[in-house]
Amino acid sequence: MPTARPIARRTAAASPAAALAMAALLALAGCARDGRDWSSAQDADTQEAYEAFLAKHPQSEFAPQAKARAAQLVEERDWSVATQADSPESYRKFVEQHPDGKWTQEARIRVENFNVMTASAPEGPPAAAGATTPAVAAATTPAMPLAPAAASAVRAPGAASPGAAAGAAATNRAAAPGEHRVQLGAFSSVAKAEAEWARVRARFAPLNSLEPRITAVQTAAGRLFRLQAAGLPAAADAKALCDTLKAGGQACLYVPPK
């Protein structure tokens, strides 16, 4: 019968291998639980589910994905709150909460739109608007060519083109009586407004039949250039167009006749 000492020596010799095997089994079990919990979190797809997963598996290989998705869901929730309120304050709060988010630039544009729409100062006269921006307007190359109406609308007064004067007048003139418009943005320069018109016109076919307006306005924040689409026969048409643009993620405000 073996003595106690040889048995102890054999047990001690076997223990490192046993420990490694046990560690491997525990790791496999942990991975299995990790995978199951990750699948459950994805099935629930809620902020709470991902945060619970992170609390349970902070070092998981799925942790970065869980963090990213939780943050995305928070931003989606906050954006929904901001758009339901649809006020300058709600969009400013969203920007503070998500300075680098998916909809942050959209929120900034909407704040700027509200600022311009509520500004008490009148639109700048054609000469003043042209005098401050000819170099920028002339040097800008949009992301894609503008329609003839858009190209003429953003030329500076005095440009070599035969239609320059007419284009400047169309750009800066006041709204015609009974004219319904939609505002697509307010920008710090003609060039930015011009590029935005090219972008949105390429995305939304209903804008192809409308005439762009880029008008200057003086606000407390400084001189801005607002981009509007004109030529809508009735308020219902303008509001329907805004609904279509908003559904596609484009900022839009209805501008009634003055």
Side-chain angles (χ1 to χ4, degrees):
M1 178 176 181
T3 63
R5 189 178 296 277
I7 292 175
R9 281 200 297 267
R10 286 199 299 272
T11 303
S15 62
L20 288 174
M22 182 62 69
L25 289 172
L26 290 173
L28 288 173
C31 288
R33 287 195 301 272
D34 186 342
R36 286 195 301 270
D37 291 344
W38 174 240
S39 294
S40 297
Q42 287 182 304
D43 289 341
D45 197 34
T46 64
Q47 176 193 349
E48 294 75 17
Y50 291 116
E51 289 178 348
F53 175 84
L54 289 167
K56 192 173 181 180
H57 306 285
Q59 304 302 320
S60 168
E61 63 177 308
F62 302 113
Q65 297 177 58
K67 290 177 183 177
R69 181 57 180 156
Q72 184 181 20
L73 289 169
V74 170
E75 183 181 356
E76 289 176 357
R77 178 201 65 200
D78 292 344
W79 179 243
S80 178
V81 171
T83 54
Q84 286 176 15
D86 196 29
S87 68
E89 293 75 19
S90 69
Y91 293 123
R92 289 192 191 100
K93 182 178 180 181
F94 179 84
V95 172
E96 292 174 1
Q97 293 170 323
H98 306 280
D100 300 306
K102 177 180 177 182
W103 290 288
T104 302
Q105 183 58 25
E106 172 72 10
R108 291 193 178 105
I109 289 173
R110 293 193 182 194
V111 170
E112 197 171 33
N113 281 344
F114 276 109
N115 289 341
V116 173
M117 291 295 291
T118 57
S120 58
E123 296 174 354
T132 60
T133 60
V136 174
T140 299
T141 302
M144 61 176 293
L146 294 176
S152 64
V154 297
R155 288 192 188 101
S161 170
T171 300
N172 296 287
R173 72 172 175 80
E179 181 179 64
H180 298 269
R181 297 185 281 182
V182 296
Q183 183 159 309
L184 306 175
F187 306 89
S188 59
S189 70
V190 169
K192 291 181 179 179
E194 187 179 310
E196 178 67 2
W197 173 253
R199 186 188 70 81
V200 296
R201 187 171 161 273
R203 289 188 59 210
F204 300 98
L207 293 174
N208 290 328
S209 61
L210 303 179
E211 181 182 353
R213 295 274 194 276
I214 299 176
T215 54
V217 62
Q218 191 66 35
T219 71
R223 191 175 185 81
L224 296 175
F225 297 87
R226 62 190 183 188
L227 171 64
Q228 298 175 345
L232 293 150
D237 299 304
K239 292 175 180 178
L241 175 59
C242 265
D243 288 342
T244 298
L245 297 183
K246 288 179 180 179
Q250 171 61 42
C252 183
L253 290 172
Y254 167 55
V255 182
K258 293 184 179 181

